[in-house]
Amino acid sequence: MNAERAVEALVERVDGGETVDCDGLSVEGDPEGYRLELPELERTGLSTEELRRTLSAFGEYATNWRYWDRVGGAGTARRAFLRWCERAPVPGEATPGESDPEPLAVPDRYDALAEGIDREWGQLLLTTTLAENGDRRYDLRHVEDAGAAVEDLDTYDEPREARELTTFDEDGRYRPLKTAPTLVPGWVFPSLSATELVSAVGFFYPATVENWHREREGELDVDHWIDTAERQTGIYDVIDELPREAVDWMAEACCVDSQCLRRREWEYDSEDPVDAPGGEGPFPCREPCSLVIAAARSWAIDESEESHTWEVELTRGERNQIEEIVDAVAEGRTEEIREADVGEGANRYRARYLRAKRFGGEDDGDEGGEGFGDLVE
């Protein structure tokens, strides 16, 4: 798609009665000649040859129009996302907390595309470059692999291959939440088309492009907690019984940046905000996810049980150790604590010592938890 072919396509389009309007370029026909507007100039009464010569002198605008004309999809999430990738102007309002750089005008954008424009989407790094024919090509990889040579990474070509990259974390454990910050690095899709890029991103982070676009357009339909909970059936019918304060604890446990890259937009209800940060992710979470629903069922059952007072003897150090164990499990740090780190409260040997001393050893205690001290009625 060189400049000459783009100019001819543009003239043909205008001669067909359409007005071309794209990124500062505006061309329309007129009985007295063509009217051309660019940021650098304005001309009226142009003949066909004059229009061709002028457009050829500003060939980047013509090839830019032709590319986006071929991409198509005006008003769609797909088109908005692709324009965001190369810092072209995108309709709508920036998402909450978004610190986007200023959009680039066509000449500056083409200069940047020659080197590659980088954007981050969760743990994905997307690099847009200008192909020889005026098209765009997209390099998609993990943010941790920025700057790595393609030959040093596992190379993929088909968007569907992203599925296998999202299935397990670095320890081989299944990832039930695709937007968890546990995506494994070491791979690259080095040369995707626009369609392939959007498809691959959808496999990594399903529906994030669409919800990001809806939010920019002011059309994000948010389902708050109580509405979502009350429509559950079967084994999940109990989650609407989760106490109000427990919803805050649940959001603090599950819906923060360390656990999920989405930014929570749902609250308890439209007039009752959840007392936990919603996160800083680039794409919104419009309703409680299936993982939260599943966890809420367990917590609703736990919260329905009658409270008791339990008495257990602990030294100050042992009490602190229990807190350290809970923190280590909650933050996913247990595997980082080496057997030799006996000064760590969550060290395996220290935990086994505490169990042997205070909880009766490996075989003591039953499902009711009687091994944890005495029940005081």
Side-chain angles (χ1 to χ4, degrees), residues 149-160:
V150 170
E151 55 268 25
D152 293 334
L153 304 172
D154 293 333
T155 303
Y156 297 87
D157 299 310
E158 295 295 329
R160 287 184 178 274

Side-chain angles (χ1 to χ4, degrees), residues 29-71:
D30 188 276
E32 298 181 0
Y34 299 97
R35 183 188 63 80
L36 167 66
E37 287 189 20
L38 289 167
E40 295 87 347
L41 59 82
E42 180 177 353
R43 296 286 188 271
T44 58
L46 295 173
S47 67
T48 302
E49 287 307 313
E50 289 173 329
L51 177 63
R52 287 195 178 101
R53 285 198 302 269
T54 307
L55 286 172
S56 296
F58 296 90
E60 291 173 342
Y61 284 94
T63 58
N64 180 69
W65 163 78
R66 183 58 174 155
Y67 173 72
W68 291 109
D69 183 64
R70 294 175 63 179
V71 166

